Amino acid sequence: MDLLDLDPDPLRQFERWFAAAREAGVPVPEAMTLATATAAGRPAARMVLLKGADERGFSFHTNYESRKGRELAENPHAALLFHWQSLGRQLRVEGPVERMSADESETYFRTRPFRSRLAAWSSPQSRPLTDRAELERLYAGAAQRHPDDVPLPPHWGGYRLRPDAYEFWQHGDDRLHDRIRYERDAAGWSRIRLAP
């Protein structure tokens, strides 16, 4: 991978790689690891789904009261990792995270299946449960309260990570991988090659 082969705009380069992953039939190419940390720096990572990427950033949705939501409230910086194994590619994206507007969250929430919207009301995400039956009772209660229409819960919505760094990684034989890092600077984006 030559530095000059990559688009000077990392978002456009992401779009190329993401399109290539879709065209190659990579299962769930929008799956990404989200890494967060507490204010004290204790990290946690989990898989989430990318719901949009544009000049404003990379968006995903979750319960604000979940562990990731609490960590983002304490420390509003995160990292994303896409791993498209069959293509021998990884992409890291780092930056500050902010909540999306209630209108944006509502618009996305309305696209979710009815039962998934009920689940957003019923799951006290990341909190202890007595047993599976408790979760099922909470779900049944949400279905009873919202039989026809499921509004956006006040504890649920979108986040957007605004990239200040990207790192594109391409597999190479004999562990001679290619790593190109983009960092935001006064002129836009700078690119450097990193040792594998």
Side-chain angles (χ1 to χ4, degrees):
M1 179 170 64
D2 193 288
L3 200 86
L4 297 175
D5 293 335
L6 297 179
D7 196 289
D9 182 331
L11 177 60
R12 285 201 297 264
Q13 186 60 46
F14 161 77
E15 290 168 346
R16 286 182 189 171
W17 275 23
F18 189 72
R22 281 188 182 239
E23 289 167 15
V26 171
V28 197
E30 67 274 19
M32 59 187 185
T33 301
L34 167 67
T36 58
T38 63
R42 187 176 182 104
R46 76 287 288 157
M47 300 300 293
V48 298
L49 296 177
L50 174 70
K51 292 301 175 183
D54 58 28
E55 65 284 343
R56 297 170 302 164
F58 288 67
S59 62
F60 59 94
H61 296 78
T62 192
N63 185 317
Y64 295 142
E65 297 170 359
S66 65
R67 179 176 176 179
K68 58 188 161 302
R70 293 191 311 269
E71 289 175 354
L72 288 169
E74 287 181 30
N75 178 1
H77 293 83
L80 305 173
L81 173 65
F82 295 88
H83 181 214
W84 301 305
Q85 183 175 2
S86 62
L87 299 180
R89 290 178 172 170
Q90 293 184 78
L91 169 62
R92 290 179 28 203
V93 186
E94 304 163 12
V97 179
E98 58 195 15
R99 282 190 187 184
M100 295 168 64
S101 72
D103 287 344
E104 288 177 291
S105 294
E106 174 81 29
T107 296
Y108 169 69
F109 189 72
R110 292 289 171 192
T111 70
R112 292 169 61 90
F114 183 83
R115 294 176 64 83
S116 294
R117 286 183 277 149
L118 284 175
W121 275 98
S122 58
S123 174
Q125 194 173 8
S126 303
R127 307 288 184 182
L129 291 171
T130 305
D131 53 24
R132 173 76 187 193
E134 181 182 359
L135 180 61
E136 291 170 1
R137 282 191 301 275
L138 290 168
Y139 184 88
Q144 188 174 23
R145 286 189 309 277
H146 307 290
D148 301 315
D149 184 45
V150 185
L152 176 70
H155 59 268
W156 196 96
Y159 288 95
R160 184 174 288 115
L161 182 145
R162 289 185 296 107
D164 55 25
Y166 289 76
E167 186 178 309
F168 292 84
W169 181 96
Q170 176 74 54
H171 172 80
D173 292 336
D174 303 318
R175 299 194 54 79
L176 295 178
H177 312 304
D178 288 304
R179 288 174 67 192
I180 307 297
R181 184 171 175 85
Y182 291 71
E183 293 182 349
R184 193 180 291 279
D185 61 21
W189 293 96
S190 61
R191 289 179 290 175
I192 56 171
R193 177 177 289 277
L194 301 176

